[in-house]
Amino acid sequence: QVQVVESGGGSAQAGGSLRLSCAASGSISSIRAMGWYRQAPGKQREWVAVVTSGGSTNYADSVKGRFTIARGNARNTVYLQMNSLKPEDTAVYYCNVVAPNSYWGQGTQVTVSS
């Protein structure tokens, strides 16, 4: 079992920045990948970014060049640096840990105003 806790988020103006953090605990030696998803009101949850245990990263086209995902030194943490925020980035952001089952955090709200 893996427990996942997100932190960060909040409100920002368009063009601003926010940073999300995610920490996994429990069976962290089984972690294969950590990533972020988001769900806007009335929309389906969508994938945002992922980092594998090998350090490879990948991003959704909608955030490429603006968001950066990175692992912490402890390897059971992951960060999402969000720059050049747009109102359409407003959503609840969820951390996902693959270990190898999929585990989710409770979500953290990000609101971007124009």
Side-chain angles (χ1 to χ4, degrees), residues 16-92:
S17 299
L18 287 171
R19 187 187 194 220
L20 305 182
S21 301
C22 172
S25 60
S27 301
I28 60 174
S29 61
S30 302
I31 292 176
R32 301 291 182 265
M34 299 180 72
W36 293 92
Y37 287 69
R38 66 186 182 186
Q39 187 167 18
K43 294 187 177 182
Q44 291 189 336
R45 190 174 297 189
E46 64 174 2
W47 169 72
V48 174
V50 66
V51 58
T52 69
S53 58
S56 299
T57 60
N58 203 2
Y59 300 89
D61 287 343
S62 59
V63 306
K64 199 171 293 184
R66 301 188 297 121
F67 291 9
T68 302
I69 189 170
R71 292 180 304 177
N73 291 334
R75 299 297 177 96
N76 65 320
T77 57
V78 66
Y79 305 97
L80 186 68
Q81 179 66 42
M82 305 183 293
N83 298 329
S84 302
L85 284 164
K86 303 176 181 180
E88 50 263 44
D89 293 320
T90 295
V92 177

Side-chain angles (χ1 to χ4, degrees), residues 87-110:
E88 50 263 44
D89 293 320
T90 295
V92 177
Y93 283 70
Y94 296 90
C95 181
N96 175 254
V97 177
V98 179
N101 293 332
S102 187
Y103 299 90
W104 296 89
Q106 78 286 356
T108 185
Q109 177 70 46
V110 170

Side-chain angles (χ1 to χ4, degrees), residues 3-18:
Q3 295 76 45
V4 182
V5 178
E6 303 110 333
S7 60
S11 299
Q13 291 191 329
S17 299
L18 287 171

